[in-house]
Amino acid sequence: MEKTVLLPLDMTDRTYRQDVTENITEGYSADFDSDLNGSNLMPEHAAGLWTTTADLAKFGVHLQNILRGKSDLIPPAFVKEMIQPQHDDVLDMENTTCKTGLGCYLKVIHGEAYLGHSGGNYAFESRINFSVQSENGYCVLINTDNIDPLIGKIQDYFFRPA
């Protein structure tokens, strides 16, 4: 990851370390109790990326650039395969009908196709969605486990039909 993705994309504010204690935002449950007690340490290191919205957005924008022929860090055929639906409709974390690609979900937001992913752990959640048709996209990391109202407002405000 370090050599083939993170450094080439200039994602410098991230780590897979599990002993992170510095520069970490305190998380809150939906009822605003602050009580992490080490619950955000991930035994599976591949799912334990600590990062910022800016660095995570670099990844999404780069996928968009590959689809538009503006980058060749990853072969375009790989990204096109990644966004091919793999099976019937499923529900994502927002209970929205979508399809799954390879490592991402595929959904329509206000008539436009997006690739995305979500993540969550006690008192933290994340959502990324990047258009496969335009330069629209968003990356949200939040220190609570109740992200759905915010995501709905972002999608309705920024991605509503013209």
Side-chain angles (χ1 to χ4, degrees):
M1 278 298 283
E2 184 82 20
K3 186 169 60 174
T4 61
V5 177
L6 302 174
L7 287 176
L9 294 183
D10 195 33
M11 294 175 67
T12 57
D13 199 9
R14 75 329 178 235
T15 186
Y16 279 100
R17 281 184 28 224
Q18 294 300 299
D19 59 347
V20 177
T21 57
E22 67 280 354
N23 300 320
I24 299 299
T25 300
E26 189 170 8
Y28 293 87
S29 65
D31 58 6
F32 297 104
D33 282 339
S34 175
D35 184 20
L36 295 180
N37 293 328
S39 61
N40 287 294
L41 299 180
M42 306 291 280
E44 61 281 354
H45 289 286
L49 176 66
W50 293 84
T51 191
T52 62
T53 52
D55 265 7
L56 195 53
K58 289 176 185 179
F59 178 73
V61 168
H62 200 78
L63 290 176
Q64 289 177 318
N65 287 338
I66 291 168
L67 289 170
R68 289 168 185 72
K70 297 179 181 178
S71 173
D72 61 359
L73 178 65
I74 301 168
F78 288 2
V79 179
K80 288 177 183 173
E81 180 67 23
M82 184 177 106
I83 63 172
Q84 290 302 308
Q86 300 296 314
H87 57 73
D88 293 334
D89 291 347
V90 297
L91 293 177
D92 65 10
M93 288 185 70
E94 297 150 10
N95 286 322
T96 304
T97 301
C98 65
K99 298 191 181 298
T100 57
L102 299 175
C104 65
Y105 58 75
L106 311 162
K107 65 194 291 182
V108 175
I109 301 172
H110 295 303
E112 193 169 342
Y114 283 78
L115 66 93
H117 204 283
S118 55
N121 200 356
Y122 178 73
F124 291 94
E125 287 196 39
S126 65
R127 298 284 191 285
I128 61 170
N129 281 300
F130 291 92
S131 174
V132 298
Q133 299 169 294
S134 72
E135 294 180 351
N136 286 340
Y138 66 83
C139 175
V140 176
L141 306 176
I142 191 168
N143 61 328
T144 182
D145 51 15
N146 189 17
I147 197 171
D148 292 338
L150 176 62
I151 295 302
K153 289 182 185 298
I154 288 170
Q155 289 176 178
D156 289 344
Y157 184 81
F158 290 104
F159 303 134
R160 65 180 176 259

